[in-house]
Amino acid sequence: MEEFIICLVKYTAIFVCILYSYIRLLRLKLKVWDLFDIPLFIVFSTVLYFVTVYIKMLVPLGLLIFSVAFLLLRFRKSFYVTVTVGTIALGVSIVLMLIAFVLGYILSIPLYFVKNEAAQKIIAQVINAVIQVAGIFLLFLSKRLQSGINPENTNPTFEIMLHLSVGSIIAMMLLYIRNATQSMLEIILIIVALFALLIILWWRKHIKYNYNKAVEQQSVDLMENTIKDYEMNSAESDLQLAAYAKYIHYLNKALPDCAILAKRAAEATGNADAIAVFNMLEAIMSKTNIVNEKCSFENIPRTGDSVIDAPIIRLYAEAERKNFTASAEISDGVKNWFADGTLDKDDIHTLLGYLCDNAVNSALGSPNAKVRAELAETENLKPLIRIYDSGAQFNEDVLAKLGREQITTRAGVNGHGIGLLSVFETLAKYGASFTLDEAPQIFGFTKFIEIAFDGRHSVTVKTCRESVASACADRKDMTVELIDSAEDLRDII
């Protein structure tokens, strides 16, 4: 009976310490009705007492199994959390039990005067239990343990506590061996228990590895999704910027033409609305830093169609302001270009504007700068446009990518290639042919571009430079014709 009471007191105190440690380590709240768990702990202790009668060394495992089962049902945490934190709680309780035994031995010295040996042992065990329970409360007053632990995190404190707890359980099992010559069955049980506790440590490592891998994969997935979103947003922004750039580029060319036409209408009619439109266009160009080219409008060849005439008028206006020679030749057949509705006036206006603009910018870099525009017909009476200039020849890289990529002929001087790419879009729309001739038969010009609306949709480069032929060798859609340098040219201007 004496041994039974001692076991009840000892094991019940351990269960109380396990419960309190588990609650504090996971930062749970202790309820008033948790006091009613003590009778259950007494029942567990009774069962463990009968274990001590047969195989006492299994008591630590019994403490672990009963405490894990109770904590799992009581707090409903995951099995992993309950096992690992429950193991640590048992380890803390075992360490406090040993400390309480040492302190209790000192405090129990006056009990030697008690004559009843059974009462002496029971009172000593009660003192140990009180010290142990008081110690667990004092232990968790430290700031280090008040923050608790997170078993699902890679925390060094948690790792150390779990390893020390497993070591404490194994040490308690060894202390409970009755003698050094145990039976084979008991030795096997020790080995099995040791492997079971080591499995807990391995399990912790495995769970931590899976957790870290999952977190890492989650971070990778998040980064990949972020990159995909960024790329999609970037691509969308690039498309929007490309579209805006194209519109702005077109407005920069079209607004001056509109202003010229509005001014002509205002001066010719004196109409108040025409004057108001001209003033508004000038205000818009002033705010957008677009230069309004002024021109005398005298002796300028015209088609008779204001939309087509506007780029020619602007060419002459730029010549007056920028001091280069402008000329134009317009055949009588131009007025019939739009009779059948095949060609769109706005497309031809845009095409002329871009080609003349590029020719002017090229010619301005040369002495005695010249630009010439010709509007005529092919042998089959199809619309034909030629734009001459006295500027430098196109770079080989430009010709190799001509019509395929947005590449500028004016690298380093605010060129962006939108105009040239738009020209090829218009050519594709009508199946027109493009020819670049680097040996024009008109004195003073170094090259000209010819657009023929013949339906052939061909691209031809006539050059005396072998480097151009080499650069464009891979172009299956382009014909490169090597020609001799033009000599004894006549100036027919």
Side-chain angles (χ1 to χ4, degrees):
M1 189 65 181
E2 165 195 339
E3 189 68 24
F4 175 69
I5 295 173
I6 291 173
C7 286
L8 289 184
V9 173
K10 181 193 297 183
Y11 300 149
T12 300
I14 291 176
F15 280 121
V16 170
C17 290
I18 290 173
L19 174 62
Y20 188 76
S21 298
Y22 184 86
I23 290 173
R24 295 304 301 271
L25 287 173
L26 292 181
R27 290 178 293 180
L28 303 174
K29 290 185 179 181
L30 190 65
K31 308 294 183 180
V32 177
W33 54 79
D34 283 321
L35 294 174
F36 294 100
D37 295 330
I38 295 177
L40 182 61
F41 295 157
I42 295 174
V43 174
F44 291 159
S45 301
T46 302
V47 176
L48 289 176
Y49 166 72
F50 290 105
V51 173
T52 61
V53 174
Y54 298 101
I55 309 177
K56 189 174 182 180
M57 55 175 251
L58 293 182
V59 169
L61 287 182
L63 290 169
L64 180 61
I65 293 170
F66 281 137
S67 59
V68 167
F70 167 75
L71 294 172
L72 190 62
L73 294 173
R74 168 66 181 84
F75 297 102
R76 308 287 178 154
K77 296 292 182 181
S78 68
F79 187 68
Y80 164 73
V81 171
T82 305
V83 170
T84 52
V85 180
T87 301
I88 293 175
L90 175 57
V92 172
S93 302
I94 291 173
V95 172
L96 285 175
M97 182 186 70
L98 295 176
I99 296 173
F101 176 78
V102 174
L103 294 176
Y105 180 80
I106 298 173
L107 296 176
S108 299
I109 293 177
L111 294 179
Y112 286 107
F113 296 102
V114 178
K115 301 300 181 181
N116 190 324
E117 186 177 350
Q120 185 183 68
K121 291 181 179 180
I122 293 172
I123 294 172
Q125 185 57 54
V126 170
I127 293 173
N128 292 346
V130 171
I131 294 173
Q132 183 179 356
V133 173
I136 199 70
F137 284 98
L138 293 174
L139 179 64
F140 281 95
L141 291 178
S142 65
K143 293 182 179 180
R144 180 67 177 175
L145 293 176
Q146 282 181 355
S147 59
I149 57 176
N150 184 2
E152 295 180 349
N153 231 347
T154 54
N155 191 325
T157 302
F158 181 83
E159 296 287 343
I160 293 171
M161 292 180 70
L162 182 60
H163 284 75
L164 290 177
S165 298
V166 171
S168 300
I169 295 171
I170 294 173
M172 185 177 180
M173 291 180 66
L174 295 175
L175 288 173
Y176 274 21
I177 295 177
R178 286 193 297 269
N179 54 64
T181 58
Q182 293 292 315
S183 66
M184 181 62 67
L185 176 62
E186 290 177 318
I187 293 174
I188 291 173
L189 289 174
I190 290 177
I191 295 174
V192 170
L194 179 61
F195 273 98
L197 293 171
L198 289 175
I199 285 174
I200 294 177
L201 297 179
W202 171 84
W203 189 24
R204 161 65 185 172
K205 292 288 185 182
H206 179 69
I207 292 294
K208 183 176 73 172
Y209 171 78
N210 289 340
Y211 174 79
N212 291 339
K213 189 174 181 180
V215 170
E216 182 179 352
Q217 186 61 43
Q218 187 177 15
S219 300
V220 170
D221 293 341
L222 180 61
M223 183 62 69
E224 288 179 349
N225 292 333
T226 302
I227 292 173
K228 287 181 180 177
D229 291 341
Y230 174 79
E231 288 177 346
M232 289 178 63
N233 293 334
S234 179
E236 184 178 355
S237 298
D238 289 343
L239 287 174
Q240 290 178 346
L241 288 174
Y244 293 152
K246 186 175 180 180
Y247 297 149
I248 292 171
H249 188 266
Y250 172 75
L251 287 175
N252 286 340
K253 310 302 178 187
L255 281 176
D257 291 345
C258 293
I260 289 173
L261 296 178
K263 183 178 181 182
R264 286 183 61 191
E267 291 177 350
T269 64
N271 184 277
D273 290 339
I275 295 172
V277 169
F278 172 67
N279 291 335
M280 289 179 67
L281 287 171
E282 279 205 319
I284 292 172
M285 290 190 294
S286 174
K287 291 180 180 179
T288 54
N289 295 320
I290 300 175
V291 176
N292 181 17
E293 307 289 354
K294 302 188 182 298
C295 179
S296 62
F297 301 115
E298 296 179 0
N299 300 320
I300 298 177
R302 299 176 189 174
T303 65
D305 190 299
S306 299
V307 176
I308 307 303
D309 288 340
I312 306 298
I313 295 172
R314 180 155 56 90
L315 175 63
Y316 276 80
E318 283 190 292
E320 288 187 11
R321 189 173 70 88
K322 297 179 180 179
N323 195 26
F324 67 88
T325 302
S327 60
E329 183 177 338
I330 300 173
S331 71
D332 294 334
V334 175
K335 61 184 67 174
N336 298 320
W337 283 10
F338 311 101
D340 59 359
T342 303
L343 287 182
D344 187 300
K345 290 182 182 180
D346 290 333
D347 288 338
I348 302 302
H349 167 265
T350 303
L351 192 68
L352 279 172
Y354 286 151
L355 291 175
C356 289
D357 183 63
N358 285 342
V360 169
N361 285 299
S362 177
L364 288 176
S366 64
N368 300 318
K370 295 181 179 182
V371 176
R372 177 179 175 81
E374 290 183 359
L375 279 65
E377 293 81 34
T378 65
E379 294 179 357
N380 297 325
L381 301 179
K382 299 295 183 181
L384 181 70
I385 298 173
R386 287 196 185 101
I387 306 296
Y388 297 77
D389 71 73
S390 59
Q393 304 293 358
F394 291 152
N395 184 277
E396 289 86 344
D397 293 336
V398 173
L399 296 177
K401 299 176 181 178
L402 196 64
R404 285 184 171 180
E405 299 180 19
Q406 184 174 317
I407 184 167
T408 179
T409 59
R410 296 182 287 129
V413 286
N414 299 322
H416 33 61
I418 294 177
L420 194 57
L421 191 62
S422 298
V423 167
F424 275 86
E425 289 176 355
T426 304
L427 298 183
K429 179 178 178 181
Y430 294 103
S433 297
F434 175 96
T435 301
L436 170 64
D437 194 330
E438 295 185 350
Q441 299 299 306
I442 303 179
F443 183 75
F445 295 101
T446 56
K447 63 180 179 295
F448 74 90
I449 289 176
E450 178 182 279
I451 307 296
F453 291 85
D454 52 9
R456 295 179 181 177
H457 196 199
S458 63
V459 178
T460 305
V461 175
K462 297 180 180 180
T463 179
C464 57
R465 295 182 291 163
E466 292 186 0
S467 58
V468 173
S470 299
C472 301
D474 295 333
R475 292 288 299 265
K476 304 301 182 183
D477 59 338
M478 176 186 290
T479 301
V480 179
E481 297 180 8
L482 284 173
I483 57 177
D484 295 330
S485 300
E487 296 178 355
D488 301 326
L489 300 178
R490 294 184 302 108
D491 188 357
I492 64 170
I493 299 178

